[in-house]
Amino acid sequence: MVLHYTAMNSARAAIDRLCAPEFEVSAHYVIDEHGRVTQLVDEAHRAWHAGRSFWQGCEDMNSASIGIELCNRGTHPFPHPQMQQLRSLLAGITHRWSLPRSHVIGHSDIALGRKTDPGSRFDWRGLARDGFGLWPQEHTAINDPAQFLDHAAQVGYDVAVGVHPVLQGFRLHFAPHRVGALGPDDCADMASLAHQTVVDQTPPSA
Ligand SMILES: [Zn+2]
């Protein structure tokens, strides 16, 4: 599941655009500020929401993911009813498709240097607390830039773009207030995420 914001002024305008073939964009679901859900594309069908993208070795995320657009210009917090509705939608999708929690990611994670949605106002931490997406756990700081990229690759990031875009995309999601060069906290957080990803995506043995 890939989360986005619409960056449009109204839900109506966003839905119109997502349904207009000439724009070549679409998503499976749109959730407006009041928590109203509109389904535009069947979950089993492909939607054009990801664009050029990469995650966990996959370069065609449109074929591999369900896109959810949240009505928000990216500049204000996401309202409670909208987040509540997102939680129930994610609960349904993860159940229907037996998806692990680590599969809840943002457009900014899979389109490094190109996309910033759902942005720094999105409450990834709260969502992770409810079982959707990962969040770094307690850690001891480590500082090894080489390991940072190795761990980032395990999480799913496109490390071929280099340290800087990976760091930007990672911080936007997991540490939006952190600034400056790659540091021990970034390295430790990425190590924690890599470890959780492996555990989360290892099928339980029969
Ligand atoms: Zn997007």
Side-chain angles (χ1 to χ4, degrees):
M1 292 140 281
V2 177
L3 309 185
H4 306 257
Y5 60 58
T6 56
M8 306 273 293
N9 280 324
S10 73
R12 190 67 255 167
I15 290 168
D16 286 349
R17 185 183 169 93
L18 290 165
C19 292
E22 67 269 25
F23 289 118
E24 298 197 338
V25 289
S26 62
H28 296 86
Y29 294 98
V30 178
I31 308 178
D32 76 9
E33 302 86 338
H34 309 286
R36 285 183 298 243
V37 183
T38 307
Q39 181 167 13
L40 303 177
V41 178
D42 189 280
E43 286 179 11
H45 294 162
R46 175 190 169 93
W48 291 328
H49 60 93
R52 192 159 38 81
S53 53
F54 179 101
W55 190 250
Q56 294 190 346
C58 174
E59 295 187 62
D60 182 13
M61 289 300 288
N62 281 334
S63 295
S65 63
I66 291 173
I68 302 172
E69 294 273 358
L70 301 161
C71 293
N72 186 308
R73 294 190 59 80
T75 49
H76 59 87
F78 292 74
H80 182 71
Q82 186 178 42
M83 290 303 288
Q84 280 306 102
Q85 197 54 55
L86 174 63
R87 282 174 172 82
S88 29
L89 189 57
L90 290 175
I93 296 169
T94 47
H95 178 72
R96 282 192 286 283
W97 297 89
S98 304
L99 295 172
R101 62 183 295 161
S102 56
H103 281 219
V104 180
I105 52 177
H107 202 184
S108 57
D109 294 310
I110 66 168
L112 295 174
R114 197 173 70 80
K115 292 291 178 183
T116 56
D117 59 313
S120 59
R121 309 303 297 267
F122 187 77
D123 184 15
W124 285 111
R125 179 181 215 142
L127 211 58
R129 211 160 33 222
D130 290 333
F132 305 109
L134 300 178
W135 195 256
Q137 303 299 312
E138 288 297 313
H139 52 66
T140 47
I142 50 173
N143 197 3
D144 182 348
Q147 274 191 47
F148 178 78
L149 280 190
D150 285 349
H151 288 140
Q154 285 172 28
V155 174
Y157 288 104
D158 180 10
V159 297
V161 298
V163 171
H164 190 68
V166 173
L167 180 62
Q168 295 292 332
F170 155 79
R171 282 183 176 169
L172 188 60
H173 185 141
F174 296 102
H177 304 297
R178 202 177 288 163
V179 294
L182 174 67
D185 286 339
D186 301 306
C187 294
D189 283 347
M190 195 63 97
S192 170
L193 292 171
H195 174 72
Q196 290 181 62
T197 299
V198 172
V199 172
D200 186 59
Q201 297 182 10
T202 303
S205 48

